[in-house]
């Protein structure tokens, strides 16, 4: 009834064409749920047709024409198997006839339905009349008991051990079944000898007070003799002989099993909705017809159960095959005026139910096929010119034949219960979701519904599934889950304004509001990518390999936004913007990049990129990492604006505290279909930025392209560092992180890596600030990756404190001389982001020495070589402060003048030597100079740094990913 109320609300909320329950669920919960539940309900309806046909054959062979049996049992134990074989043969014949009738046309089925309905009504009236008559004139329906055990009548005729024949006492056939000979002195079964044979009435009538005995449960185990409760008998010590003429229970019974067997008898409430396309006014017919049908059948079923329990003995009710009454129909005997009313009524009733199933199931399949949500079922959407589902009927008949070949009703019924209960559950869920979302189009004419009733009905259906049979429930849910995933993967895209979309919007809104409650903790940091791609004049992506790299890096996890810029005005270039979005979406789908696409129109590319960085994302769902390609032809004069935009992009990511990944030679990066059978991913960890460089190859190796590559970490140490201890500590650290990587420490002179020196110090300061904000314990701070390298560096310097002091002695005159270099030597690294950290280290009473904060360098290879030979400015390790010995004197860290190109050349030589055959090289990317006059020289430095390398990823951390590898 709860399901009928929910179905009535959905049916009156618009036109319900063919498909019935499938149409209601799919339009309310989406094509995935609709297709999965609809196909399961189709299978349930089809198997229900098989069950009704088997019931028809059972009545035919058991009561109407027993002589028609083809397979005849030679022994009593073979009778169930023989009956099942007969049901398979005749069931196939009846199915063929019914399929022909349905094929001819549904109008003939409707005409037969009236005849079937009349037979059912007469049968019900006959039962009620028989119950009333039994109150004062019960029928003669004897059953034979030995002690309290029920005997099967098939082996004897007289319910007695012996009878008097003339003046002589002779034994009966029953005696011969339990004794060794027909003589009175024969050896008999112990239980037979100690107990009397009695005959009782199987239908004592409604006035007998029998309902008190039948009111309570009496479940049985398989193979147990059916016994009359409350009747005493002598105990039996002998082993039970299955060949003796007792009535045995054929299966283990319990409440949930019986519910599963009984439930299909009340599943006809969907018969009207399945044929919704044939109804004149489905919105009016479905609610009235369904609710009235449920009310009527519920009264008949409940009253019949009570009246049968009041009229019929419990042993007769538990005798499934009627062995105690020699196969006579118990309910037929109770009926008035004749048992044949029940027999014929039951026969036509099951025939009619089978026809209704064969009529409704093909139409349900046809509706699913015509929606196109399951591609391989589309052929079943075709039919005759008048719309009759010919091909769907053929498939239905074949599936129904499978149920007939199973033959056992007890095996078929639980499967049907699961499919029907699942359908009812989702009908209730659909009504509840639509009601709670309060969508504008939810205006059902049926007003007697509430979301609490729908949830109650859904909960009862789900509970009943597992109560009846938990393993059948799991099988049914697994089938529905597989269909759901198939439709989601291969099905057609459908937008029906379903409730799941509204539910997703509500959930997304709630999640975004939760993200706004506070900034994410550093331990929860994950790379959320904003991928910047360039489109050509035809709005096609110039470097599609960048999206392949995105797919390999993200593997569908986290946030991915692919952005691009179209130059011009919005009014004039809006069509180009739409074409660019479509092109990017197609490429994202081809490369299996799960994310969003955003194309902006701006007067110039520079401003457009800035707009993307600032406005991409929504609320707390923001990007924290940018992935861009290296401007390949930046040296060409006509392409000078490209590298200027690139450097401004680096500056903006630094100002926004975003991580930056620059892929150089992106055209050489592998596609998603390529595989590296071997090779190395080399990480050159010059600036220990807290794990960003280690995280990226770790993520890449989760993808099948890089899965077989080995990760190698090269960490750069100075000559006075404890390299052996550093390698040991880093190896132990990676072991605790469950990251498999080879560690190698490369020693270089201070002058060779001096361009990174200031960068290291700033990262150390930034990391220290974040560690303080996180309130980590002492143990957690010691486990942080930078602490390990700092400890290794400090181990030697603590032994030689005098040497450390020598590093700090830099004559001011030499500093002044170095500052008088030509304009070709420009300031480095000191951007706004890092300046804040340096200034924060100054004492409040001191003014920062601006002359000491300038860092100069020579930016070309030739000038670097000449300057190296002629310059008197000290660039030796003694002129550089020891930045790695963590002491508070950080306000004087910028006292040295370093040679940037010298660093690039030397470091590139080492990288090429160690990683010339690596599949991918990752290394730190220094920040750009504050003085924009040195932008071109900065590009030259990065170019020299990465020369002769095939695939390079330059990585610059944003500051919030310091200990991301611990998350």
């Amino acid at each position: 009834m709860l399901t009928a109320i929910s179905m009535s609300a959905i049916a009156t909320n618009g036109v319900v064409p063919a498909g019935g329950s499938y149409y209601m669920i799919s339009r309310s919960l989406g094509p995935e749920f609709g297709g999965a539940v609809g196909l399961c309900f189709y299978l349930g309806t089809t198997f229900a047709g098989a069950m009704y046909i088997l019931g028809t054959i059972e009545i035919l062979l058991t009561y109407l024409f027993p002589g028609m049996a083809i397979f005849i049992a030679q022994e009593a134990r073979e009778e169930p198997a023989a009956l099942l074989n007969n049901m398979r043969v005749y069931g196939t014949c009846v199915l063929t006839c019914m399929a022909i009738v349905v094929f001819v046309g549904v109008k003939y089925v409707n005409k037969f339905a009236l005849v079937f309905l009349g037979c059912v009504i007469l049968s019900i009236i006959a039962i009620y009349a028989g119950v009333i008559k039994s109150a004062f004139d019960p029928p003669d329906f004897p059953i034979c008991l030995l002690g309290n055990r029920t005997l099967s009548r098939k082996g004897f005729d007289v319910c007695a051990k012996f009878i008097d024949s003339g003046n002589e006492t002779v034994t009966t056939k029953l005696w011969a079944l339990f004794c060794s000979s027909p003589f009175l002195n024969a050896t008999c079964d112990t239980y037979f000898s100690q107990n009397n044979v009695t005959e009782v009435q199987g239908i004592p009538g409604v006035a007998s007070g029998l309902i008190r005995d039948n009111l309570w449960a009496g479940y049985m185990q398989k193979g147990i003799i059916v016994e009359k409760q409350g009747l005493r008998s002598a105990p039996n010590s002998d082993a039970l002989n299955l060949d003796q003429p007792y009535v045995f229970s054929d299966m283990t019974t319990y409440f949930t099993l019986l519910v599963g067997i009984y439930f299909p008898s009340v599943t006809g409430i969907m018969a009207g909705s399945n044929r919704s396309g044939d109804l004149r006014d489905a919105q009016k017919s479905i609610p009235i017809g369904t609710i009235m049908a449920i009310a009527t059948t519920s009264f008949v079923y409940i009253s019949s159960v009570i009246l049968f329990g009041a009229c019929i003995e419990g042993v007769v009710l538990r005798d499934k095959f009627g062995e105690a009454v020699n196969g006579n129909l118990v309910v037929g005997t109770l009926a008035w005026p004749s048992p044949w009313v029940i027999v014929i009524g039951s026969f036509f009733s099951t025939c009619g139910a089978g026809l209704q199933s064969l009529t409704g199931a093909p139409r349900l399949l046809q509706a699913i096929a015509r929606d196109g949500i399951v591609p391989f079922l589309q052929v079943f959407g075709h039919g005759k010119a008048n719309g009759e589902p010919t091909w769907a009927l053929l498939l239905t008949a074949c599936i129904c034949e499978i149920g007939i070949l199973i033959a056992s009703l007890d095996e078929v019924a639980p499967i049907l219960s699961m499919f029907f209960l699942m359908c009812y559950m989702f009908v209730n869920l659909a009504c509840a979701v639509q009601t709670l979302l309060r969508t504008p189009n939810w205006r059902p004419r049926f007003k007697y519904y509430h979301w609490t009733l729908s949830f109650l009905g859904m909960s009862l259906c789900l509970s009943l599934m597992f109560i009846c049979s938990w393993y059948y429930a799991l099988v049914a849910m697994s089938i529905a889950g597989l269909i759901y995933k198939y439709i989601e993967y291969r099905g057609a895209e459908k937008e029906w304004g379903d409730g799941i979309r509204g539910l997703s919007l509500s959930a997304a809104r709630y999640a975004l509001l939760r993200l706004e409650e506070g900034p994410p903790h550093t331990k929860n940091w994950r790379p959320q990518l904003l991928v910047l791609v360039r489109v050509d004049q035809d709005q096609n992506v110039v470097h599609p390999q960048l999206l392949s790299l995105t797919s390999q890096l993200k593997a569908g996890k986290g946030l991915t936004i692919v952005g691009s810029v179209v130059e011009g005005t919005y009014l004039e270039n809006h069509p180009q913007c739409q074409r660019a979005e479509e092109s990017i979406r197609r490429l994202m789908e081809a490369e299996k990049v799960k994310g969003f696409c955003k194309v902006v129109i701006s007067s110039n590319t520079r401003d457009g990129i800035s707009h993307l960085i600032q406005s991409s994302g929504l609320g707390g769902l923001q990007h924290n990492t940018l992935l861009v390609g290296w401007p390949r032809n930046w040296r060409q004069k006509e392409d000078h604006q490209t590298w200027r935009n690139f450097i401004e992009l680096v500056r903006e990511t630094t100002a926004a505290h975003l991580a930056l990944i620059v892929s150089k030679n992106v055209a050489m990066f592998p596609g998603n279909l390529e595989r590296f059978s071997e090779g190395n991913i080399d990480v050159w960890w010059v600036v220990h930025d807290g794990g960003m460089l280690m995280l990226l190859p770790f993520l890449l190796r989760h993808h099948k392209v890089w899965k077989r590559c080995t990760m190698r970490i090269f960490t750069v140490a100075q000559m006075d560092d404890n390299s052996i201890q550093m390698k040991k500590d880093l190896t132990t650290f990676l072991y605790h992180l469950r990251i498999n990587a080879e560690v190698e420490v490369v020693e270089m002179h201070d002058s060779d890596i001096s361009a990174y020196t200031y960068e290291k110090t700033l990262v150390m300061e930034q990391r220290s600030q974040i560690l303080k904000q996180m309130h980590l314990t002492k143990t957690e701070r010691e486990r942080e990756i930078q602490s390990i390298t700092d400890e290794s560096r400090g181990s030697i310097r603590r032994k030689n404190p005098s040497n450390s002091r020598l590093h700090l002695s830099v004559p001011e005159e030499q500093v002044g001389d170095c500052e008088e270099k030509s304009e070709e030597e420009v300031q480095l690294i000191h951007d706004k982001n890092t300046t804040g950290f340096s200034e924060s280290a100054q004492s409040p009473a001191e003014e920062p020495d601006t002359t000491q904060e300038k860092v100069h360098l020579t930016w070309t290879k030739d000038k670097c070589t000449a300057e190296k030979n002629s310059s008197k400015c000290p660039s030796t390790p003694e002129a550089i402060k020891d930045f790695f010995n963590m002491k508070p004197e950080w306000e004087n860290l910028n006292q040295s003048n370093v040679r940037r190109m010298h660093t690039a050349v030397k470091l590139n030589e080492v990288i090429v030597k160690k990683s010339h055959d690596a599949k991918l090289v990752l290394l730190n990317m220094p920040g750009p100079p504050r003085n924009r006059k040195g932008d071109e020289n900065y590009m030259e430095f990065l170019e020299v740094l990465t020369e002769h390398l095939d695939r390079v990823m330059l990585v610059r951390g944003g500051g919030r990913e310091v200990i991301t590898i611990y998350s």
Side-chain angles (χ1 to χ4, degrees):
M1 182 62 75
L2 294 174
T3 303
I5 292 174
S6 300
M7 185 173 64
S8 300
I10 300 175
T12 57
N13 190 51
V15 179
V16 182
S21 56
Y22 155 74
Y23 182 87
M24 300 176 194
I25 295 174
S26 62
R27 268 54 176 183
S28 299
L29 299 179
E32 294 85 3
F33 280 109
V37 179
L39 285 175
C40 288
F41 185 62
Y42 163 76
L43 293 175
T45 305
T46 304
F47 277 107
M51 185 188 68
Y52 296 137
I53 293 173
L54 292 175
T56 302
I57 303 304
E58 186 175 8
I59 295 173
L60 180 70
L61 297 179
T62 305
Y63 304 111
L64 293 177
F65 304 102
M68 292 178 60
I70 299 175
F71 300 92
I72 301 174
Q74 301 298 326
E75 298 180 6
R77 66 177 65 184
E78 297 177 356
E79 289 183 0
L83 177 61
L84 294 181
N85 289 329
N86 288 317
M87 292 171 67
R88 293 184 178 100
V89 174
Y90 285 106
T92 303
C93 298
V94 173
L95 172 63
T96 304
C97 296
M98 288 186 176
I100 293 174
V101 173
V102 175
F103 176 77
V104 171
V106 69
K107 61 180 181 180
Y108 296 100
V109 177
N110 294 335
K111 293 179 180 180
F112 280 116
L114 296 176
V115 177
F116 298 150
L117 178 61
C119 295
V120 172
I121 293 175
L122 289 177
S123 300
I124 295 173
I125 294 175
I127 292 175
Y128 286 121
V131 169
I132 296 173
K133 180 177 178 293
S134 69
F136 51 87
D137 185 16
D140 183 23
F141 199 80
I143 59 174
C144 189
L145 301 176
L146 175 60
N148 63 351
R149 297 179 176 179
T150 308
L151 296 175
S152 174
R153 285 278 192 173
K154 295 185 178 181
F156 62 95
D157 52 354
V158 178
C159 183
K161 294 182 180 180
F162 38 79
I163 57 174
D164 295 332
S165 177
N167 296 326
E168 185 180 6
T169 301
V170 296
T171 59
T172 62
K173 293 182 180 180
L174 181 60
W175 177 281
L177 295 175
F178 286 93
C179 300
S180 60
S181 68
F183 301 105
L184 294 175
N185 59 353
T187 302
C188 297
D189 180 75
T190 304
Y191 188 82
F192 181 78
S193 302
Q194 295 177 354
N195 290 277
N196 296 324
V197 176
T198 58
E199 189 174 63
V200 298
Q201 286 296 325
I203 306 179
V206 70
S208 62
L210 191 61
I211 191 171
R212 291 191 299 270
D213 298 332
N214 292 334
L215 188 61
W216 311 111
Y219 304 115
M220 305 177 65
Q221 297 293 324
K222 183 178 180 180
I224 300 299
I225 299 175
V226 178
E227 299 178 348
K228 178 175 172 56
Q229 298 178 357
L231 188 63
R232 295 182 179 179
S233 64
N236 181 24
S237 59
D238 296 341
L240 185 63
N241 187 0
L242 297 179
D243 291 330
Q244 293 174 343
Y246 293 120
V247 177
F248 296 94
S249 61
D250 68 319
M251 62 186 301
T252 301
T253 57
Y254 44 91
F255 175 75
T256 56
L257 176 68
L258 297 179
V259 169
I261 295 175
Y262 172 75
F263 188 78
S265 64
V266 296
T267 56
I269 65 169
M270 291 290 186
S273 64
N274 290 344
R275 297 172 56 187
S276 56
D278 300 324
L279 299 176
R280 181 179 302 172
D281 188 357
Q283 295 188 41
K284 181 179 179 181
S285 301
I286 290 178
I288 296 176
T290 304
I291 294 177
M292 291 299 295
I294 292 175
T296 304
T297 54
S298 298
F299 172 78
V300 172
Y301 287 143
I302 295 174
S303 61
S304 297
V305 170
I306 296 174
L307 293 177
F308 289 164
C311 296
I312 305 173
E313 277 285 352
V315 292
V316 178
L317 293 174
R318 295 180 180 88
D319 181 13
K320 178 178 177 181
F321 296 104
E323 298 177 32
V325 293
N326 201 19
N328 292 326
L329 183 61
V330 179
V331 180
T333 305
L334 180 63
W336 183 87
S338 171
W340 289 103
V341 177
I342 294 295
V343 173
I344 296 175
S346 300
F347 177 79
F348 283 109
S349 174
T350 51
C351 279
L355 277 175
Q356 293 296 331
S357 298
L358 289 178
T359 303
R363 282 160 173 75
L364 181 60
L365 180 62
Q366 186 184 45
I368 298 173
R370 285 181 173 177
D371 279 342
I373 60 176
V374 183
F376 69 87
L377 289 180
Q378 293 185 8
V379 65
F380 298 105
H382 305 289
K384 294 191 295 186
N386 58 357
E388 290 292 323
T390 307
W391 293 106
L393 175 62
L394 180 62
L395 179 63
T396 302
C398 294
I399 298 176
C400 192
E401 177 64 19
I402 296 175
I404 291 175
L405 294 178
I406 295 175
S408 177
L409 293 176
D410 297 333
E411 298 295 332
V412 175
I415 302 175
L416 304 183
S417 299
M418 297 304 110
F419 288 145
F420 283 116
L421 282 170
M422 188 181 299
C423 179
Y424 299 163
M425 179 178 68
F426 278 95
V427 168
N428 285 293
L429 177 62
C431 181
V433 168
Q434 294 281 23
T435 305
L436 290 176
L437 289 178
R438 298 178 182 177
T439 53
N441 69 329
W442 178 246
R443 300 183 302 274
R445 290 192 177 94
F446 184 83
K447 301 299 181 182
Y448 306 101
Y449 70 95
H450 196 267
W451 67 267
T452 55
L453 297 177
S454 300
F455 266 113
L456 178 61
M458 182 185 66
S459 303
L460 290 175
C461 290
L462 183 61
S463 303
L464 201 58
M465 286 178 66
F466 286 92
I467 287 175
C468 293
S469 177
W470 64 268
Y471 45 89
Y472 275 126
L474 292 179
V475 170
M477 296 178 73
S478 300
I479 294 173
L482 291 175
I483 298 173
Y484 178 94
K485 295 304 293 184
Y486 176 81
I487 295 175
E488 186 181 50
Y489 178 68
R490 294 292 302 273
E493 292 291 335
K494 296 292 182 180
E495 178 54 58
W496 290 326
D498 51 85
I500 293 298
R501 298 279 181 158
L503 196 62
S504 300
L505 289 174
S506 299
R509 173 182 170 273
Y510 174 78
L512 288 173
L513 291 176
R514 286 293 302 272
L515 290 176
E516 285 287 290
E517 294 178 0
H521 196 275
T522 308
K523 288 186 177 181
N524 296 326
W525 191 92
R526 292 291 184 275
Q528 316 292 354
L529 292 181
L530 170 59
V531 185
L532 298 180
V533 298
R534 187 161 56 94
V535 295
D536 55 19
Q537 294 180 351
D538 297 328
Q539 280 70 49
N540 295 321
V541 178
V542 176
H543 295 296
Q545 293 87 350
L546 201 60
L547 290 184
S548 301
L549 177 61
T550 303
S551 175
Q552 297 160 19
L553 189 62
K554 297 293 290 182
K557 305 296 189 300
L559 173 68
T560 301
I561 302 175
V562 182
S564 185
V565 179
V566 174
E567 292 188 356
T569 62
Y570 184 80
L571 295 178
E572 296 178 357
N573 299 92
H574 182 60
Q576 291 89 331
C577 178
Q578 289 182 327
R579 287 197 299 270
E581 286 185 352
E582 293 176 1
S583 175
I584 294 175
R585 286 196 180 96
R586 286 195 302 268
L587 185 59
M588 291 174 65
E589 184 177 356
E591 298 293 342
K592 298 181 179 179
V593 176
K594 296 182 179 180
F596 308 97
C597 173
K598 187 172 184 179
V599 179
V600 298
I601 302 175
S602 179
S603 57
N604 57 76
T605 305
R606 168 75 188 82
D607 292 339
I609 293 175
S610 179
H611 296 158
L612 283 173
I613 295 176
Q614 296 178 59
S615 62
S616 295
L618 178 63
L621 192 64
Q622 297 282 352
H623 58 277
N624 55 27
T625 306
L626 262 72
L627 175 60
V628 297
W630 174 262
R632 184 176 55 179
N633 301 322
W634 67 273
R635 286 194 177 99
Q636 299 178 5
K637 293 183 178 180
E638 61 272 11
D639 205 21
H640 69 281
Q641 191 60 39
T642 302
W643 62 263
R644 295 187 185 277
N645 292 339
F646 173 78
I647 296 180
E648 291 302 317
L649 168 67
V650 178
R651 289 194 174 99
E652 290 188 358
T653 56
T654 304
H657 301 284
L658 300 176
L660 177 63
I661 304 173
V662 180
S663 56
K664 195 168 184 291
N665 301 329
V666 67
M668 301 181 65
F669 276 71
N672 290 330
L673 299 179
E674 298 182 42
R675 302 288 184 274
F676 287 133
S677 58
E678 58 181 359
N680 300 314
I681 300 177
D682 289 354
V683 177
W684 282 86
W685 210 12
V686 183
V687 177
H688 298 170
D689 58 354
M692 179 69 174
L693 279 173
M694 279 200 299
L695 178 65
L696 294 179
F698 176 77
L699 296 175
L700 283 174
R701 291 181 69 242
H702 279 78
H703 197 275
K704 47 193 173 183
V705 174
W706 307 91
K707 189 174 183 179
R708 298 184 180 274
C709 292
T710 303
M711 181 177 170
R712 297 191 303 183
I713 298 179
F714 296 89
T715 181
V716 179
Q718 294 168 293
M719 299 302 294
D720 56 352
D721 287 338
N722 189 346
S723 301
I724 298 176
Q725 185 64 32
M726 184 183 297
K727 180 177 180 180
K728 180 180 178 181
D729 291 341
L730 287 178
T731 303
T732 304
F733 176 74
L734 293 174
Y735 173 78
H736 289 303
L737 289 180
R738 288 88 59 199
I739 295 179
N740 297 322
E742 301 175 6
V743 178
E744 183 174 344
V745 179
V746 179
E747 294 184 347
M748 298 183 68
H749 289 282
D750 290 3
S751 58
D752 294 340
I753 58 172
S754 56
Y756 281 97
T757 301
Y758 190 71
E759 190 89 0
K760 288 182 180 180
T761 305
L762 297 175
V763 172
M764 288 162 57
E765 293 181 0
Q766 189 176 12
R767 174 181 51 81
S768 300
Q769 295 285 342
I770 293 177
L771 292 178
K772 290 178 182 179
Q773 296 175 7
M774 293 176 58
H775 306 290
L776 296 181
T777 64
K778 181 179 179 181
T779 304
E780 290 175 328
R781 287 197 299 270
E782 290 175 352
R783 290 178 58 196
E784 201 270 324
I785 180 61
Q786 184 66 48
S787 301
I788 297 175
T789 57
D790 294 342
E791 184 67 23
S792 302
R793 288 193 170 96
S795 59
I796 290 181
R797 300 186 183 109
R798 284 193 291 270
K799 298 179 181 177
N800 301 285
S802 59
N803 294 339
S804 298
R805 295 191 187 95
L806 291 175
H807 290 305
L808 300 177
S809 58
V810 182
E812 294 184 2
E813 293 81 8
Q814 293 179 353
V815 174
D817 293 340
C818 294
E819 291 171 357
E820 296 175 359
K821 295 291 180 182
S822 62
E823 294 182 359
E824 308 231 359
E825 298 176 355
V826 297
Q827 192 175 4
L828 168 70
I829 301 176
H830 211 300
D831 53 26
K832 295 181 181 180
N833 183 32
T834 58
T835 303
F837 291 104
S838 295
E839 293 176 354
S840 64
Q842 298 282 352
S843 173
E846 298 177 353
E847 291 295 327
D849 190 351
T850 57
T851 61
Q852 293 182 357
E853 289 185 2
K854 295 181 180 179
V855 183
H856 297 277
L857 59 131
T858 304
W859 284 98
T860 63
K861 274 188 177 182
D862 298 335
K863 291 185 178 182
C864 175
T865 305
E867 193 66 27
K868 183 176 178 182
N869 297 329
S870 62
S871 176
K872 297 180 181 180
C873 179
S875 60
T876 62
E878 289 77 7
I880 302 176
K881 181 179 177 181
D882 183 1
F883 300 132
F884 305 105
N885 190 8
M886 303 185 69
K887 292 184 178 181
E889 300 93 356
W890 286 358
E891 61 270 13
N892 298 320
L893 294 180
N894 298 326
Q895 299 178 358
S896 303
N897 297 321
V898 292
R899 306 288 183 182
R900 193 71 179 234
M901 282 305 299
H902 177 70
T903 298
V905 172
K906 290 295 183 181
L907 190 56
N908 178 258
E909 290 177 357
V910 177
I911 294 175
V912 172
K913 179 180 178 181
K914 297 284 186 179
S915 304
H916 63 278
D917 58 346
K919 301 300 182 184
L920 178 64
V921 176
L922 295 92
L923 69 158
N924 298 104
M925 178 180 179
R930 290 181 60 192
N931 193 336
R932 285 176 169 77
K933 294 181 180 180
D935 287 353
E936 186 172 1
N937 300 328
Y938 173 73
M939 296 293 295
E940 185 69 34
F941 167 79
L942 295 178
E943 190 70 54
V944 173
L945 182 65
T946 56
E947 275 185 339
H948 311 299
L949 297 174
D950 292 338
R951 305 178 190 90
V952 182
M953 288 178 65
L954 296 169
V955 181
R956 180 168 176 79
R960 292 299 301 175
E961 68 282 356
V962 173
I963 56 171
T964 180
I965 50 178
Y966 289 97
S967 305

